[in-house]
Amino acid sequence: DAGVIQSPRHEVTEMGQEVTLRCKPISGHDYLFWYRQTMMRGLELLIYFNNNVPIDDSGMPEDRFSAKMPNASFSTLKIQPSEPRDSAVYFCASRLRWGGEAFFGQGTRLTVV
Amino acid sequence: TQLLEQSPQFLSIQEGENLTVYCNSSSVFSSLQWYRQEPGEGPVLLVTVVTGGEVKKLKRLTFQFGDARKDSSLHITAAQPGDTGLYLCAGARQGAQKLVFGQGTRLTINP
């Protein structure tokens, strides 16, 4: 397996634009997590899914953020409209079972200007 | 407020020295994991500890889970430049499914 695949690796967009980040988890993994990493706040959990169902989205900063997992092999994180304070590295991770290792993608570095 | 507090946040030492990084919480965790992250990459798992008082060794790295399962430590013996990176602890509280991370310890080993 190629691991968790995220796209794009880098995204630069203007304030107010819609941004969509994509993630392909490892095949067979039941859990998918979206994290945001900044120097100030570290690695923050935004939302996680179990068997494609959103379980906890309490970490989503505000209504501008939304996440979907239409099937077991694909998830998106959308920001609309984007703001400069959304600039961060966004990671997707998947996990086979509860308590197991979380495998991370290489992240998407988002810059909103 | 961070659920998992790591200390120190930054550490720069010379090659060959020993060091300890701490991960503390007021909550009990069903398990705790340590990850290492290099620039431009996602975190990679080093170890998982699940039993209070458990000690695991990975070459020159020693991981310990506190007896009460509220804290953990990572000790590196004879640090090498290749140990440089961001070390993160992560855990899920008992009865919860969220995997949350500490802010990390940024370690630099100087040749």
Side-chain angles (χ1 to χ4, degrees):
Chain A
D1 203 314
V4 176
I5 299 173
Q6 290 187 245
S7 64
R9 287 294 311 274
H10 302 273
E11 177 80 36
V12 181
T13 191
E14 291 185 347
M15 182 173 63
Q17 296 298 306
E18 178 180 296
V19 175
T20 299
L21 311 181
R22 297 173 175 78
C23 174
K24 182 181 187 310
I26 293 174
S27 177
H29 281 196
D30 290 339
Y31 292 87
L32 183 141
F33 303 83
W34 280 101
Y35 288 91
R36 176 173 68 177
Q37 188 174 40
T38 61
M39 285 294 292
M40 289 295 295
R41 301 174 69 89
L43 204 57
E44 300 175 278
L45 177 63
L46 301 177
I47 184 171
Y48 80 93
F49 296 82
N50 180 210
N51 293 321
N52 313 338
V53 177
I55 303 300
D56 190 326
D57 65 354
S58 59
M60 297 285 260
E62 41 196 280
D63 292 346
R64 298 183 297 106
F65 286 68
S66 63
K68 293 182 180 179
M69 192 165 184
N71 57 62
S73 60
F74 184 64
S75 178
T76 59
L77 178 67
K78 187 177 293 186
I79 308 173
Q80 165 64 20
S82 58
E83 297 183 3
R85 60 192 168 120
D86 302 330
S87 297
V89 181
Y90 290 80
F91 285 102
C92 174
S94 70
R95 213 176 189 186
L96 176 61
R97 56 175 176 80
W98 190 245
E101 177 177 358
F103 291 83
F104 282 77
Q106 289 188 297
T108 295
R109 181 173 293 277
L110 173 65
T111 303
V112 183
V113 298
Chain B
T1 308
Q2 285 285 122
L3 184 61
L4 286 166
E5 296 282 349
Q6 284 188 244
S7 61
Q9 289 191 22
F10 299 92
L11 184 59
S12 179
I13 63 172
Q14 294 300 120
E15 181 177 0
E17 294 183 5
N18 302 332
L19 66 106
T20 302
V21 173
Y22 299 93
C23 176
N24 295 302
S25 177
S26 57
S27 300
V28 176
F29 288 86
S30 56
S31 67
L32 206 140
Q33 298 176 323
W34 285 92
Y35 289 77
R36 181 176 159 207
Q37 185 180 16
E38 300 199 26
E41 302 292 331
V44 176
L45 181 70
L46 295 173
V47 77
T48 300
V49 285
V50 296
T51 305
E54 182 177 4
V55 176
K56 281 192 174 178
K57 293 196 174 186
L58 188 65
K59 296 182 181 177
R60 293 175 294 100
L61 279 60
T62 301
F63 304 85
Q64 185 161 6
F65 201 11
D67 291 341
R69 291 187 289 148
K70 292 183 179 181
D71 54 84
S72 181
S73 63
L74 158 59
H75 182 79
I76 301 179
T77 303
Q80 298 177 2
D83 296 327
T84 293
L86 179 66
Y87 289 82
L88 297 153
C89 64
R93 285 187 294 175
Q94 276 193 310
Q97 293 187 344
K98 284 185 183 182
L99 180 63
V100 293
F101 282 77
Q103 280 196 302
T105 294
R106 196 164 295 277
L107 176 64
T108 303
I109 309 300
N110 303 300

